[in-house]
Amino acid sequence: MTDTQAQAQAQSQKTSPIQDPAEAMRTEASEQPQTYWRAAAELLHWDSFPTQILDDSRSPLYSWYTDGALNSCYNAIDRHVEAGRGEQTAIHYVSPVTETAYSISYNELLAQVKRLAGYLVSQGVQRGDRVVIYMPMVPETAYAMLACARIGAIHSVVFGGFAANELASRINDAKPVMVLSASCGIEPSGVVAYKPLLDSALAQASHKVAKCLILQRPQYQAELQPGRDADWQQAMQTAPDADCVSVKATDPLYILYTSGTTGQPKGVVRDNGGHAVALAWSMKHIYDIEAGDIFWAASDVGWVVGHSYIVYGPLLVGATTLMYEGKPVGTPDAAAFWRTIAKYKVKSFFTAPTAIRAIKREDPDGLLLRGVDLGCLKQMFLAGERCDPDTLIWAQQQLGKPVIDHWWQTETGWPVACNLMGVAQLPIKPGSPARPVPGYQVQVLDESGKQVAAGDYGNVVIKLPLPPGALPTLWQNDQRYIDSYLSMYPGYYLTGDAGYMDEDGYLYIMSRIDDVINVAGHRLSTGRFEEVLCQHPAVAEAAVIGVEDKLKGQVPLGLVVLKNGVTLGDDELRQQLVALVRSEIGPVAAFRLVSAIPKLPKTRSGKILRATMRKIADNQAYTVPATIEDPATLELVRHVLGKLGYADSQVKEHR
Ligand code: COA
Ligand code: AMP
């Protein structure tokens, strides 16, 4: 089913206005945000309950719970132990790639985190210091994040699929006093040695890191550098315990780097207070999860989903989280997710549409689902990329449960638009993440800043202030935050997404307005790809676009103009460029499509016509821009894309 068909179907089913019990919450959160979010703050334990709920004195920069003090780790662990939940499982660790599974109680989690926090303190890590965590999906990664939170240090987790160079640029920006890492990650393709990547990143980085703590995994023993690297297990044997440090609600809890338009990633800052309140609120109202429930977000701790909904969200409310080291398919098969849900009695499950597409490809008729008792599962949530209606409908039919598309981003830290499953389920319209979540005042604006009519496309923005939990700024760069997000429409936050809202107030997020692409739910910058391609000595110029992919949603495709006199063959060029991107950005880039082109299509002022190229690749109708320098270049593009397996139909051009 296409988006248009899905929309038409939703329209024809419409009989009466949608009754939405969340409307009153939405109104209160936007009209009386201080009252609304003061009440929500009571979900937590505060060392000092805030009296100033929202500080707008530095508008357009806002802060929440300004004079409050708390500790995020205390709220995620200690208070549940003190309340008698110590024996309850905090984390089910399930690792099909190592054939390991065990459960960690809140008591055990507390012991591990206290000890690791004590070790960090013994190494001189202090409140406000940064600690970079470059680790795979093992419980120690969660311990590391929580140990930092315990002592008021700021963690910055870097996804394991990023290469040394990307790690180095994050180290240079965050300037950590310490790095926590592991010897390796395990991918279906085999063991991925992390430690050599870390060593290379530390050698490349201009910021020098004096201390590393390395978790040796049985699959690969890393070489430790004397004087710098300590062995995790040994360190834990002698480390003292550390207690929670009370921090200001506005103190940063973590920095998470995400791709923007340029090659330089943006350091999204998350504060302690707003974050904890928003996540605790979201677990109950959005995900329908309370203390004692089992929640599983099948993502990676390196992404925002992992931060919010593998680690902090479920633990903040005393639920059990499931941490999974494996893939939706191939580890060992396409029923792995379903068996895990059934075995661990997962109530709400969260994954990316890509994962469902991968399962559907292997098991189109859902045969592997038969015989798996999913009685425990109430609903499945999808996010991370646009969810095509077919995928949602397929999942719904196979599971016989509500499948909830929801929209958010690293910057917001928690859902912006979603069917609030803990409040009341609204009708599901495939292709739409439903209505805005209370606290987010979402609008769709045209270029001049005017709100567009229902059904019309525009830029999706959020009226300021953003609710608690959303980014207060970028790491040590208020100006970049203002320039990138708050300047285009004063008084509004620019999401970078484009789409529309229908007459029922349902949002449809259709595309990005910038050069960000989304590959298998992973957000990447085409600008960064272009920078890397231009490092190749044969390349004079490069343009990278995201093209449609049946499995991953989008994949990057590069077109390069070679320097005069270069005689490299097509295959050789491709191999070298693919290897270059893999070594500079990492395997997660999934970069395989690249070809030389004699000339790139540009405007007369020299701007590369990436949007037009993307439309040609995806067989969409396009307009030849009036400002094009050389219209013949579009034919060149069509020809080269055709050779790469894209642009296979002749779409009539509109002028
Ligand atoms: N450490 C090291 N390497 C990693 C990695 C990690 N943490 N995560 C991924 N990689 C590597 C993979 O091994 C693969 O390398 P390869 O080119 O050598 O095979 C590459 O990065 C791409 O990985 P991935 O995006 O996982 O693609 P895939 O083709 O291996 O698998 C899917 C396809 C659909 C199964 C997979 O993309 C998937 O599970 N997607 C769901 C995404 C998701 O949950 N996103 C989080 C946002 S909510
Ligand atoms: P990230 O910051 O990596 O979480 O990526 C966020 C971006 O992914 C958003 O800005 C959207 O472009 C896209 N995205 C995430 N979830 C959805 C969704 N449910 N529907 C459409 N796009 C989505």
Side-chain angles (χ1 to χ4, degrees):
M1 188 191 280
T2 64
D3 284 313
T4 325
Q5 285 164 340
Q7 215 184 332
Q9 192 188 64
Q11 206 61 30
S12 69
Q13 285 167 354
K14 208 170 111 172
T15 47
S16 58
I18 292 169
Q19 300 300 313
D20 186 354
E23 201 46 43
M25 296 161 80
R26 228 171 259 124
T27 307
E28 190 186 350
S30 61
E31 291 177 3
Q32 295 168 291
Q34 315 234 17
T35 316
Y36 193 82
W37 292 111
R38 189 194 180 288
E42 286 176 1
L43 293 167
L44 299 177
H45 169 88
W46 294 83
D47 301 322
S48 172
F49 196 86
T51 58
Q52 187 176 28
I53 303 300
L54 174 65
D55 177 7
D56 57 6
S57 61
R58 293 177 62 229
S59 145
L61 304 179
Y62 295 84
S63 51
W64 289 94
Y65 309 116
T66 322
D67 58 352
L70 78 171
N71 183 281
S72 295
C73 177
Y74 179 83
N75 275 284
I77 312 176
D78 302 52
R79 69 165 172 151
H80 306 311
V81 171
E82 288 167 17
R85 294 194 165 273
E87 296 297 321
Q88 184 197 307
T89 298
I91 303 176
H92 284 305
Y93 177 60
V94 183
S95 171
V97 290
T98 58
E99 296 181 354
T100 317
Y102 53 92
S103 301
I104 301 143
S105 68
Y106 270 97
N107 279 334
E108 288 160 342
L109 179 62
L110 179 59
Q112 292 284 351
V113 171
K114 258 186 179 172
R115 188 56 73 87
L116 181 56
Y119 176 76
L120 297 180
V121 172
S122 75
Q123 297 304 300
V125 180
Q126 295 181 358
R127 177 176 167 190
D129 283 346
R130 273 80 56 216
V131 173
V132 161
I133 300 171
Y134 183 60
M135 293 182 68
M137 286 291 286
V138 289
E140 285 81 356
T141 310
Y143 305 162
M145 294 161 76
L146 291 158
C148 290
R150 193 169 188 85
I151 61 169
I154 303 166
H155 61 72
S156 186
V157 181
V158 179
F159 176 61
F162 279 126
N165 184 66
E166 292 290 318
L167 177 58
S169 73
R170 286 154 176 81
I171 288 174
N172 282 339
D173 197 68
K175 301 195 173 35
V177 294
M178 204 167 170
V179 176
L180 270 53
S181 188
S183 57
C184 65
I186 320 289
E187 284 295 299
S189 53
V191 170
V192 179
Y194 279 24
K195 182 61 174 30
L197 295 171
L198 171 64
D199 289 339
S200 162
L202 292 174
Q204 285 177 48
S206 54
H207 171 78
K208 291 302 160 204
V209 176
K211 289 178 177 157
C212 298
L213 182 64
I214 309 296
L215 178 75
Q216 297 280 20
R217 301 188 74 188
Q219 295 78 8
Y220 173 76
Q221 284 290 304
E223 217 172 281
L224 300 188
Q225 186 177 304
R228 189 194 69 188
D229 302 341
D231 176 272
W232 191 299
Q233 300 302 349
Q234 280 174 17
M236 288 310 99
Q237 280 165 19
T238 51
D241 285 348
D243 266 336
C244 293
V245 169
S246 187
V247 300
K248 284 164 54 182
T250 51
D251 280 353
L253 168 68
Y254 70 76
I255 308 165
L256 180 57
Y257 288 89
T258 190
S259 299
T261 298
T262 67
Q264 184 60 35
K266 292 169 172 162
V268 168
V269 172
R270 194 81 58 211
D271 61 9
N272 273 277
H275 171 253
V277 174
L279 291 193
W281 186 97
S282 72
M283 288 311 298
K284 180 170 162 32
H285 295 89
I286 295 179
Y287 296 107
D288 188 22
I289 290 290
E290 291 180 308
D293 287 338
I294 323 281
F295 182 76
W296 177 19
S299 178
D300 189 289
V301 272
W303 307 112
V304 69
V305 176
H307 282 63
S308 296
Y309 296 115
I310 294 175
V311 180
Y312 287 107
L315 299 179
L316 280 166
V317 298
T320 298
T321 186
L322 196 147
M323 200 170 180
Y324 184 82
E325 190 184 36
K327 301 274 174 177
V329 294
T331 59
D333 60 24
F337 275 8
W338 315 135
R339 280 195 303 267
T340 305
I341 290 170
K343 179 166 178 193
Y344 292 94
K345 307 257 175 293
V346 173
K347 179 179 174 191
S348 291
F349 173 57
F350 178 163
T351 188
T354 302
I356 301 301
R357 287 194 295 268
I359 292 172
K360 182 180 167 199
R361 194 167 71 169
E362 302 260 311
D363 183 25
D365 300 321
L367 298 178
L368 294 171
L369 248 166
R370 314 275 152 83
V372 182
D373 179 4
L374 292 182
C376 56
L377 184 72
K378 275 190 76 182
Q379 55 253 322
M380 177 165 85
F381 293 86
L382 298 176
E385 61 183 308
R386 178 170 167 69
C387 182
D388 54 292
D390 278 346
T391 299
L392 187 127
I393 291 165
W394 182 85
Q396 212 154 245
Q397 283 167 351
Q398 299 303 326
L399 296 174
K401 315 271 175 184
V403 177
I404 308 299
D405 179 12
H406 62 323
W407 167 64
W408 49 298
Q409 38 183 216
T410 306
E411 290 86 340
T412 66
W414 62 292
V416 183
C418 186
N419 218 316
L420 302 178
M421 297 307 281
V423 180
Q425 185 191 322
L426 300 186
I428 293 171
K429 300 192 194 186
S432 167
R435 290 178 170 172
V437 168
Y440 286 104
Q441 301 175 65
V442 181
Q443 295 181 12
V444 184
L445 305 183
D446 67 14
E447 290 297 314
S448 71
K450 236 177 64 209
Q451 219 168 317
V452 300
D456 285 355
Y457 269 73
N459 291 332
V460 182
V461 300
I462 306 168
K463 193 163 179 285
L464 295 176
L466 296 175
L471 82 171
T473 190
L474 295 177
W475 176 243
Q476 296 194 324
N477 208 336
D478 288 348
Q479 198 53 50
R480 187 172 181 202
Y481 175 49
I482 293 169
D483 293 346
S484 311
Y485 299 96
L486 310 179
S487 298
M488 183 159 165
Y489 299 110
Y492 294 87
Y493 164 86
L494 184 72
T495 64
D497 286 321
Y500 60 93
M501 205 178 257
D502 72 9
E503 283 173 353
D504 290 325
Y506 276 52
L507 261 173
Y508 291 77
I509 302 295
M510 305 304 289
S511 59
R512 291 287 303 188
I513 59 170
D514 54 15
D515 296 323
V516 164
I517 58 171
N518 200 315
V519 181
H522 310 318
R523 175 167 158 184
L524 300 163
S525 152
T526 55
R528 176 75 189 121
F529 282 97
E530 290 172 6
E531 267 177 24
V532 170
L533 292 177
C534 287
Q535 287 171 17
H536 191 283
V539 174
E541 212 177 356
V544 173
I545 53 173
V547 294
E548 280 174 13
D549 183 80
K550 281 199 166 59
L551 176 66
K552 300 196 172 190
Q554 277 188 311
V555 287
L557 181 151
L559 296 178
V560 295
V561 179
L562 299 182
K563 289 179 182 161
N564 281 340
V566 170
T567 53
L568 220 51
D570 269 1
D571 280 351
E572 210 180 339
L573 176 75
R574 187 182 154 275
Q575 276 167 21
Q576 290 181 12
L577 292 176
V578 167
L580 182 65
V581 170
R582 198 177 167 91
S583 78
E584 291 293 298
I585 300 181
V588 68
F591 185 72
R592 293 194 172 79
L593 300 167
V594 61
S595 183
I597 189 164
K599 196 173 173 189
L600 286 168
K602 290 186 182 171
T603 61
R604 282 190 286 278
S605 60
K607 198 169 163 284
I608 299 173
L609 294 166
R610 293 184 185 79
T612 313
M613 285 164 45
R614 204 169 53 230
K615 286 187 173 150
I616 296 175
D618 294 342
N619 299 313
Q620 291 173 15
Y622 63 92
T623 315
V624 179
T627 53
I628 194 165
E629 182 194 30
D630 176 3
T633 48
L634 292 182
E635 268 320 301
L636 281 178
V637 167
R638 184 191 298 286
H639 176 70
V640 174
L641 290 174
K643 284 202 298 182
L644 291 170
Y646 284 81
D648 54 5
S649 70
Q650 292 287 315
V651 176
K652 287 277 169 287
E653 298 168 20
H654 310 294
R655 275 171 198 277

